[in-house]
Amino acid sequence: MTTTGKSKPINRRRCIRFHITATEEEAALIRERMDEVGISNMGAYARKMMINGCHITLDLKDIQEMTAQLGRVGNNINQISRRANESGSIHATDMEDIKRHMDEIWSAAREILSQLAKIK
C-alpha cells in the first residue's frame, strides 16, 4: 500500500516500482519496438519485456511472394487445361513454366522454414 501526498492510503495491485534510464538512442529503439508490437503504454511494454524477455516481429514478404507464385501457377494450370481441352495436347513450354514457378515456390518455402527455425 502506498500513500498520496495527503497521507491517504491507496490500494494498488502493482505497488513495486522500477526506474530505468536510457540514452536518446536507446529510448528511440524502445519506442520503435513498442510500435512494432503495437503497445503504446510504456509500463505495459516494460512488464511484457521484463517477464517474457523477447518479442518476435514477423516479416511476411516471403510468404506474400510465395502466395503470389501459387496464384501464378494456378493461372497457368487453368490456361493449360483450357488449351488441352481445345486442342487435345499440352505444350512443353507450358510445363516448363509451371516447373519453374514450382521451383521458385519450393525455394521460398525452404527459406521461410530456415528463418522460422532460427526463432528460439
Side-chain angles (χ1 to χ4, degrees), residues 14-111:
R14 294 186 175 103
C15 59
I16 299 172
R17 290 184 156 268
F18 291 90
H19 177 81
I20 65 164
T21 56
T23 65
E24 289 292 329
E25 294 81 14
E26 291 168 334
L29 283 171
I30 291 168
R31 286 187 202 97
E32 185 178 310
R33 293 208 174 129
M34 286 174 62
D35 289 342
E36 287 174 1
V37 295
I39 298 175
S40 59
N41 181 292
M42 179 64 77
Y45 180 74
R47 277 189 301 279
K48 177 176 177 48
M49 294 308 294
M50 288 176 175
I51 292 168
N52 297 334
C54 69
H55 80 272
I56 297 172
T57 303
L58 297 176
D59 180 2
L60 301 177
K61 287 185 283 187
D62 291 336
I63 293 174
Q64 291 167 339
E65 177 57 30
M66 190 168 73
T67 302
Q69 288 288 347
L70 284 168
R72 287 191 279 276
V73 169
N75 288 339
N76 287 348
I77 289 171
N78 285 338
Q79 291 172 358
I80 291 169
S81 68
R82 277 191 225 113
R83 277 190 234 140
N85 285 332
E86 292 169 1
S87 68
S89 66
I90 298 173
H91 299 283
T93 56
D94 291 334
M95 294 308 296
E96 289 170 12
D97 194 36
I98 288 178
K99 183 181 179 327
R100 183 178 53 79
H101 282 299
M102 288 305 298
D103 288 343
E104 290 172 7
I105 290 168
W106 279 112
S107 176
R110 281 190 292 275
E111 178 62 26

